[in-house]
Amino acid sequence: FCLGSGSIHFFPSPLSLRSETVVKLPFALFSEWVEQAEQMTSNKKFKDARNGAILQCVEAATLGMPFEVWKTRMGRFRNETTLEAFKNVYRRAGPSAFWHGLSAKMVESASKGAVLMLSKELLKDSCMAMGLNQGVSGLLAGAGGGVCQVVVMGPCTFLVTSVVTGDKSVSVAEHISKTWKAKGVLGFYPGGVAIAWRQATNWASRQGFTDFACMFIAKHRHGDPKAKLSVGEEVAAGIFGGAVSCWNQPFEVARIEAQARAAAGEKPLGMIGILRMVHHEHGVPGLFTGVIPRIGLSIWQTLFMVTGANLIRQYVFGEAPKTKAGH
């Protein structure tokens, strides 16, 4: 016999070479299965990235941007109360002031939404396939997805912070030109360490706490932690996950201060230095300045990027809820 071209050729005997019996093994069929699996995986990744970009843009263009502007001002001007900060934002340009920096935010939202959804869902699927439960998988996937976002978020959050806390007459394009001429690419990444810590803890908490809440609701209302939840129950879990995830507000205060100092041309400080300074000047409450609008933002983002993602996978693409063993 001989092996070649995906077939094994058997020659019965030297005495009977008049006929050759050819037995083809299903190599071609196996290759087709592999190709189909790769295509399905590729399509799923594309859908996750597309859905992430769309969801994050809609989230930002609606209530996300006003909450972002409001809590960014509070993080920089820590002597203002929650209501005073709201009024001062409004005084800058009326209602439109709450959407200052929207162009940079849309670029950030589309890119970070795609990166988050692609990496988070891939990591979560992998964790579930290894046998980890839904809550633990959500924590790990959220942290990984959050860190992946930092590459695209750094420049965009810097520009939004510059517009919100700086001279209102300076446009986003002028901030870009000024920063590029002064410091190049690195000038767009002040507060990068704080952003990384914030994003890792953000999505680990939002995804993880939401998934734990889903398991709790499923167990106590349906008797099975793997039971499928109603839309209302999914939303309730998302609100809980978004609200409690704001425990990491000190990282956000450090991020805002670092970027605002860079935009104003002030002496840079590291994350630890900023946290010490804020604590010295305002005590522990200063580390949680802006937490009220951020809770609103966090709930809004969680409903889109965690609850919304789960509902899309279930009701649009017909995927079953994730269980410990997988889908």
Side-chain angles (χ1 to χ4, degrees):
F1 73 93
C2 67
L3 177 63
S5 303
S7 302
I8 296 181
H9 303 263
F10 289 90
F11 300 95
S13 166
L15 300 177
S16 56
L17 293 178
R18 290 176 299 175
S19 64
E20 177 187 273
T21 304
V22 180
V23 181
K24 289 184 176 291
L25 296 182
F27 291 154
L29 182 59
F30 177 75
S31 298
E32 184 178 345
W33 287 345
V34 172
E35 184 177 346
Q36 289 177 351
E38 290 177 346
Q39 185 176 2
M40 290 174 62
T41 302
S42 178
N43 288 340
K44 180 182 178 304
K45 290 178 180 178
F46 170 77
K47 290 176 182 176
D48 284 338
R50 178 201 61 193
N51 293 341
I54 294 173
L55 285 170
Q56 195 87 71
C57 283
V58 174
E59 170 271 315
T62 51
L63 290 179
M65 195 64 193
F67 280 129
E68 179 76 29
V69 170
W70 187 7
K71 57 104 173 175
T72 298
R73 180 174 180 89
M74 290 191 69
R76 173 59 167 169
F77 303 105
R78 291 178 293 276
N79 58 319
E80 297 179 357
T81 65
T82 302
L83 188 57
E84 286 173 344
F86 184 90
K87 291 178 178 178
N88 287 333
V89 171
Y90 185 84
R91 290 192 183 107
R92 287 171 66 93
S96 64
F98 289 94
W99 278 269
H100 271 179
L102 183 61
S103 57
K105 188 66 177 179
M106 286 296 98
V107 174
E108 175 196 343
S109 296
S111 54
K112 79 173 184 179
V115 169
L116 173 68
M117 196 66 71
L118 178 61
S119 55
K120 177 171 70 70
E121 294 302 313
L122 181 62
L123 288 169
K124 188 172 183 181
D125 289 345
S126 300
C127 290
M128 299 287 280
M130 290 190 296
L132 299 178
N133 68 34
Q134 183 179 349
V136 174
S137 297
L139 286 171
L140 296 175
V147 170
C148 290
Q149 285 186 312
V150 176
V151 175
V152 296
M153 284 190 65
C156 296
T157 56
F158 168 69
L159 292 172
V160 172
T161 302
S162 300
V163 171
V164 172
T165 63
D167 186 348
K168 64 180 181 180
S169 65
V170 181
S171 67
V172 172
E174 289 172 329
H175 277 296
I176 293 174
S177 177
K178 175 184 175 183
T179 303
W180 178 263
K181 290 178 181 178
K183 299 180 181 179
V185 175
L186 294 180
F188 293 95
Y189 286 91
V193 174
I195 296 175
W197 276 99
R198 186 196 71 172
Q199 288 309 108
T201 53
N202 261 359
W203 291 108
S205 300
R206 291 171 184 173
Q207 182 75 52
F209 288 145
T210 300
D211 285 344
F212 277 121
C214 286
M215 294 170 64
F216 179 86
I217 294 172
K219 180 179 180 180
H220 289 272
R221 289 183 61 88
H222 304 286
D224 181 1
K226 300 175 184 178
K228 184 176 180 179
L229 303 183
S230 68
V231 175
E233 290 168 337
E234 291 270 7
V235 169
I239 291 174
F240 171 80
V244 299
S245 69
C246 291
W247 63 268
N248 66 350
Q249 180 66 8
F251 294 135
E252 174 67 346
V253 171
R255 189 275 302 176
I256 293 171
E257 179 65 22
Q259 292 183 335
R261 292 174 73 88
E266 299 176 8
K267 181 181 178 181
L269 283 176
M271 185 180 74
I272 301 300
I274 291 174
L275 293 176
R276 287 175 177 170
M277 179 194 72
V278 173
H279 183 268
H280 177 74
E281 294 177 354
H282 303 281
V284 174
L287 298 174
F288 290 88
T289 303
V291 72
I292 292 177
R294 185 155 181 257
I295 287 174
L297 174 62
S298 184
I299 290 174
W300 195 242
Q301 289 185 336
T302 304
L303 289 177
F304 274 88
M305 305 308 292
V306 178
T307 306
N310 291 341
L311 294 176
I312 285 175
R313 294 182 70 163
Q314 291 182 36
Y315 293 99
V316 178
F317 299 119
E319 296 185 15
K322 295 182 179 77
T323 64
K324 186 174 180 179
H327 294 201

